[in-house]
């Protein structure tokens, strides 16, 4: 691989002083990046430079982010720069980083009481253990779901079991968590949150673990820092900011205004505190390369504070409002039958794939998806009621199906990247011979699978039988993804959601010019489109009917801000002034207060 790709990419920073300063930094550095400011380009180009210039094999670097979707986008952008995940280069989620580089290699050496080999609980096993915890602490008649969010957030925020406030802040939640973890250990399991919590415990308690990690990763890069929460922040402090030890170097990017995962324990103030440390340099990226000026102005109204962001061009852009009095179905019909054809005909959207409909929850997603289906509009849906969950495995399968369909060798569908991800699904392949055999079997299978109109069931069954199932099942940490494969195959059966799908259609779910994008506001983070429709913007939906205090409205306000800033050219906001309840009644709470404020300050009225 040549280093010239990232060097050519870095030439774009010459015209932007803030980007150039970030790229040229040599110490601990924080990039506070507004929407559309090119922060991902800065981060990936900087990471490529670090991989080529700053670390020498066998040492490496780690690039850590929040979600699987963010990790997928980073890998896609790093691939043409000549950087891919390997033994010395890590690109992935914080949970994967902790598990692969801390828990798996060091847990038994440090004497942690977990099974060997380590087994990661499936979603069902986690639910069973949690239900037992609730039953023992509260009551066997209690519904575990009523405690799930409360205990999850508590577990991610209150990390010190010997601290005075471990029980004091919420004794019942603390006791349920302790019993839940006991149930996991009795079954020889760790769960998803254990990956990060056990990783933190190892890093904080053992100097030799910190030394080993710093030796392997002298530079740590963190994307979307504001979303990663207290455990990752404390890991960073221990690896990069201990006054009594040599440290790794930190390069982090984030935007506190886009912190929308408070329910998981995210604390945007952690990034702000880090940026003002005396041993950290920082810069704010204010030039927006994505959105037109009217959209930037609307977004600053939405967030409630002036940020000084400015557009990179003189185009005005559009922020428009549409009152659809008959409810969500009326909004959906207006979007699908009228507004989308209009923007396509006008040429503002270059294709259907450059249009997104964003909404608060999967319930609104059901309404817009049904209308799109009635209209015969192909769509990609990303929410809890989608045709299948978006996991690392299903995303990888989408890439495989798309590659088979076109047999493309371009940057977005690199066979090398597909192979790299495949190997990451089975960490038991320690010998080079076994890895080469696994790669040979996969590539041979993919080359033989012509897609076209081939039924997805046939395509997936062939891939599963040829190599995929045995590959996944060999690694005890892949139990959940093996279950995902089973569920996907079942969905292809009679009466399943994917019964009539072709492999080509499945491959298109990774995003194509011919598919409309339907997704929650949370799922849209990090993405951009020519046209964005904000659907269901009514009071009681956003902010939610339980979000009544000033403090509780901060995160939905940031969520609204994220939705606005996904658009390049136009934003269309739809609302009805009322919402339906699960019991079939109407709640006439009016239009979202965020929309009312935006209309008032922009001087706009709904059509």
């Amino acid at each position: 691989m040549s280093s010239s790709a990232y060097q050519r990419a870095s030439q774009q920073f010459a015209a932007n002083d803030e980007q150039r300063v970030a790229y040229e930094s040599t110490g601990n550095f924080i990039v506070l990046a507004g929407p559309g400011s090119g922060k991902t380009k800065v981060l990936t180009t900087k990471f490529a430079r670090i991989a080529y210039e700053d670390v020498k094999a066998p040492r490496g670097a780690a690039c850590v982010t929040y979600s699987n979707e963010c990790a997928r986008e980073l890998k896609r952008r790093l691939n043409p720069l000549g950087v891919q995940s390997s033994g010395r280069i890590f690109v992935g989620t914080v949970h994967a980083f902790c598990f692969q580089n801390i828990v798996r290699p060091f847990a038994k050496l440090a004497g942690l009481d977990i099974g060997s080999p380590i087994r990661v609980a499936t979603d069902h096993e986690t639910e069973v253990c949690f239900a037992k915890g609730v039953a023992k602490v509260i009551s066997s008649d209690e519904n575990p779901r009523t405690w799930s969010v409360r205990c999850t957030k508590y577990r991610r925020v209150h990390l010190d079991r010997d601290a005075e406030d471990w029980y004091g802040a919420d004794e019942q939640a603390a006791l349920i968590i302790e019993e839940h973890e006991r149930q996991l250990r009795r079954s020889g399991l760790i769960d998803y949150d254990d990956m990060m919590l056990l990783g933190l415990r190892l890093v904080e308690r053992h100097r030799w673990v910190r030394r080993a990690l710093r030796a392997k990763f002298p530079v740590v890069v963190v994307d979307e820092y504001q979303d990663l929460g207290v455990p990752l922040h404390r890991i960073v402090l221990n690896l990069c900011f201990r006054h009594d030890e040599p440290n790794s170097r930190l390069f982090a990017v984030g935007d506190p205004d886009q912190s929308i995962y408070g329910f998981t324990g995210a604390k945007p103030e952690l990034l702000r505190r880090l940026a003002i440390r005396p041993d950290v340099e920082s810069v704010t990226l204010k030039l927006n390369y994505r959105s037109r000026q009217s959209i930037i102005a609307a977004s600053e109204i939405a967030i409630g504070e002036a940020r000084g962001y400015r557009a990179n061009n003189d185009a005005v852009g559009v922020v428009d409002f549409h009152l659809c009095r008959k409810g969500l179905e009326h909004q959906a019909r207006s979007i699908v039958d009228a507004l989308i054809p209009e923007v396509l005909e006008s040429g503002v959207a270059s294709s259907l794939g450059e249009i997104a409909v964003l909404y608060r929850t999967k319930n609104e997603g059901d309404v817009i998806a049904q209308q799109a289906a009635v209209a015969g509009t192909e769509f990609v849906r990303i929410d809890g009621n989608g045709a299948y969950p978006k996991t690392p495995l299903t995303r990888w399968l989408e890439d495989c199906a798309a590659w088979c369909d076109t047999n493309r060798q371009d940057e977005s569908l690199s066979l090398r990247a597909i192979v790299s991800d495949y190997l990451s699904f089975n960490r038991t392949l320690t010998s080079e011979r076994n890895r080469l055999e696994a790669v040979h079997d996969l590539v041979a299978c993919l080359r033989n699978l012509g897609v076209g109109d081939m039924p997805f069931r046939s395509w997936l069954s062939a891939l599963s039988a040829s190599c995929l199932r045995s590959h996944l099942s060999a690694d005890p940490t892949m139990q959940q993804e093996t279950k995902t494969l089973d569920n996907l195959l079942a969905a292809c059966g009679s009466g399943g959601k994917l019964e009539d799908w072709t492999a080509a259609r499945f491959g298109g779910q990774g995003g194509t010019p011919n598919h409309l994008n339907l997704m929650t506001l949370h799922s849209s983070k990090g993405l951009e489109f020519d046209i964005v429709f904000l659907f269901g913007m009514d009071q009681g939906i956003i902010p939610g009917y339980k979000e009544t205090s000033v403090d509780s409205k901060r995160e939905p306000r940031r969520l609204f801000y994220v939705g606005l800033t996904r658009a390049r050219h136009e934003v269309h906001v739809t609302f009805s002034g009322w919402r339906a309840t699960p019991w079939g009644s109407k709640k006439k709470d009016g239009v979202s207060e965020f929309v009312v404020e935006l209309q008032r300050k922009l001087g706009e009225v709904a059509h």
Side-chain angles (χ1 to χ4, degrees):
M1 293 183 292
S2 170
S3 62
S4 59
Y6 82 85
Q7 292 170 337
R8 287 195 301 271
S10 70
Q11 293 172 9
Q12 301 174 46
F13 304 146
N16 186 310
D17 289 342
E18 291 82 9
Q19 290 182 340
R20 180 181 52 77
V21 167
Y23 179 72
E24 296 291 345
S25 64
T26 57
N28 295 318
F29 201 90
I30 303 294
V31 180
L32 298 171
S37 59
K39 65 98 175 171
T40 305
K41 181 178 292 184
V42 171
L43 181 141
T44 52
T45 310
K46 177 68 172 179
F47 188 70
R49 183 179 189 177
I50 290 167
Y52 277 103
E53 297 182 15
D54 296 356
V55 295
K56 301 299 181 184
R59 306 184 85 188
C63 183
V64 180
T65 190
Y66 175 75
S67 68
N68 290 317
E69 290 297 312
C70 291
R72 184 172 186 260
E73 178 64 13
L74 289 176
K75 290 176 182 179
R76 187 186 70 80
R77 299 243 198 148
L78 285 166
N79 183 52
L81 299 178
V83 178
Q84 293 178 332
S85 296
S86 65
R88 56 181 289 266
I89 299 296
F90 175 87
V91 181
T93 66
V94 62
H95 289 85
F97 174 79
C98 288
F99 182 70
Q100 294 176 20
N101 296 290
I102 308 175
V103 177
R104 200 167 197 170
F106 302 134
K108 296 304 292 184
L109 292 173
L112 290 188
D113 183 22
I114 57 177
S116 182
I118 300 172
R119 288 180 57 228
V120 178
T122 64
D123 291 345
H124 176 69
E125 288 171 327
T126 299
E127 290 169 2
V128 168
C129 290
F130 184 75
K132 289 180 179 178
V134 172
K136 184 165 184 178
V137 175
I138 307 298
S139 167
S140 58
D141 296 326
E142 188 78 3
N143 185 349
R145 293 184 180 181
T146 63
W147 290 87
S148 179
V149 173
R150 176 175 165 182
C151 290
T152 296
K153 184 174 180 178
Y154 194 88
R155 192 179 178 201
R156 294 174 181 176
V157 173
H158 296 82
L159 305 177
D160 301 314
R161 305 300 170 85
D162 54 355
E164 291 183 3
D165 69 342
W166 169 242
Y167 294 110
D170 188 339
E171 184 177 5
Q172 288 179 310
L175 291 170
I176 291 171
I177 291 165
E178 289 178 345
E179 186 59 34
H180 167 61
E181 291 176 349
R182 276 193 288 270
Q183 294 293 336
L184 285 168
R185 302 300 179 264
R186 287 170 186 165
S187 301
L189 300 169
I190 68 170
D191 68 2
Y192 183 71
D193 280 338
D194 274 325
M195 295 179 183
M196 190 158 56
L197 299 175
L198 293 175
L200 172 62
R201 188 180 307 171
L202 289 165
V203 167
E204 288 193 328
R205 293 183 180 181
H206 301 285
R207 182 186 178 101
W208 59 271
V209 171
R210 296 193 295 273
R211 291 181 64 187
L213 285 170
R214 294 187 189 115
K216 185 174 184 178
F217 300 123
V219 184
V220 177
V221 174
V222 182
D223 183 35
E224 303 289 3
Y225 197 101
Q226 75 283 347
D227 289 330
L228 289 162
V230 179
L232 183 277
H233 182 67
R234 283 173 46 171
I235 289 174
V236 165
L237 293 179
N238 274 275
L239 293 181
C240 303
F241 296 101
R242 287 188 72 106
H243 70 276
D244 56 340
E245 298 174 12
N247 289 301
S248 294
R249 182 173 117 218
L250 174 69
F251 185 89
V253 174
D255 179 6
D257 289 339
Q258 296 186 67
S259 180
I260 56 175
Y261 292 100
F263 61 92
T264 67
K267 290 183 174 293
E269 63 270 19
L270 298 178
L271 178 60
R272 294 190 181 99
R273 290 178 198 163
L274 204 58
I276 61 174
R277 286 180 61 109
D279 49 357
V280 172
E281 294 182 85
S282 68
V283 71
T284 300
L285 305 184
K286 292 194 173 183
L287 193 60
N288 189 317
Y289 293 91
R290 176 193 303 157
S291 301
R292 303 298 182 250
Q293 190 59 47
S294 63
I295 297 172
I296 295 172
S299 70
E300 292 201 342
I301 292 171
I303 204 62
E305 296 182 39
R307 294 290 186 243
Y309 298 141
R310 62 191 188 279
N312 187 47
N313 56 62
D314 297 327
V316 177
V318 170
V319 179
D320 213 348
F321 303 90
H322 306 271
L323 173 61
C324 304
R325 297 184 184 277
K326 297 179 182 179
L328 281 176
E329 291 79 6
H330 187 190
Q331 294 181 44
R333 287 196 303 273
S334 296
I335 290 172
V336 173
D337 297 341
L339 296 174
I340 287 178
E342 285 178 15
V343 297
L344 287 173
E345 185 177 353
S346 70
V348 177
S350 58
S351 69
L352 192 62
E354 287 297 342
I355 301 173
V357 182
L358 311 182
Y359 40 86
R360 183 80 190 265
T361 75
K362 62 185 179 182
N363 298 323
E364 294 85 63
D366 287 341
V367 178
I368 189 68
Q370 182 178 11
Q371 187 59 41
V374 168
T377 302
E378 291 283 349
F379 59 86
V380 175
R381 182 178 179 184
I382 306 177
D383 64 42
N385 283 351
Y388 55 90
K390 298 289 186 176
T391 73
L393 176 65
T394 58
R395 279 303 203 183
W396 177 81
L397 286 167
E398 290 170 355
D399 288 344
C400 288
W403 187 88
C404 289
D405 187 34
T406 60
N407 201 26
R408 292 193 314 208
Q409 303 296 318
D410 65 73
E411 294 174 352
S412 62
L413 284 175
S414 163
L415 182 60
R416 181 180 296 170
I418 287 173
V419 166
S420 176
D421 285 343
Y422 181 70
L423 291 176
S424 73
F425 293 144
N426 184 355
R427 298 283 176 175
T428 68
L429 300 175
T430 54
S431 75
E432 188 64 22
R433 177 180 177 180
N434 288 341
R435 290 168 66 86
L436 287 173
E437 288 177 350
V439 170
H440 176 271
D441 292 344
L442 171 67
V443 173
C445 180
L446 292 180
R447 291 197 182 279
N448 288 331
L449 283 174
V451 179
D453 293 329
M454 183 180 187
F456 177 55
R457 175 176 52 192
S458 301
W459 183 89
L460 183 60
S461 296
L463 181 58
S464 174
S466 174
C467 57
L468 181 56
R469 180 172 297 280
S470 59
H471 185 74
L472 290 174
S473 60
D475 190 327
T477 68
M478 288 289 109
Q479 292 181 102
Q480 181 58 46
E481 290 291 34
T482 304
K483 184 65 175 176
T484 298
L485 177 61
D486 291 336
N487 292 340
L488 205 57
L489 285 165
C492 296
S494 178
K497 290 183 177 181
L498 310 180
E499 178 183 7
D500 299 324
W501 282 36
T502 64
R505 181 180 178 185
F506 180 79
Q509 295 300 298
T512 75
N514 303 317
H515 288 73
L516 174 67
N517 299 281
L518 309 179
M519 62 187 69
T520 61
L521 288 158
H522 282 97
S523 298
S524 73
K525 193 158 177 293
L527 304 178
E528 58 184 64
F529 306 92
D530 287 342
I531 310 288
V532 164
F533 292 93
L534 298 182
F535 171 63
M537 297 293 107
D538 290 294
Q539 193 76 3
I541 296 176
I542 184 166
Y545 67 92
K546 293 183 178 180
E547 294 164 332
T548 57
S549 68
V550 172
D551 186 60
S552 67
K553 290 177 184 177
R554 288 195 178 100
E555 187 156 307
R557 179 179 287 279
R558 292 196 294 264
L559 196 58
F560 185 61
Y561 170 81
V562 165
L564 285 167
T565 57
R566 299 310 93 200
R568 298 187 189 100
H569 307 305
E570 295 185 4
V571 176
H572 294 268
V573 185
T574 70
F575 43 84
S576 300
W578 60 274
R579 60 183 175 85
T581 71
W583 306 276
S585 61
K586 289 184 179 180
K587 291 291 289 183
K588 298 180 180 180
D589 296 328
V591 180
S592 168
E593 62 188 76
F594 304 148
V595 175
V596 172
E597 179 184 26
L598 190 57
Q599 285 182 294
R600 178 172 55 83
K601 292 187 176 180
L602 289 177
E604 296 284 349
V605 295
H607 298 301

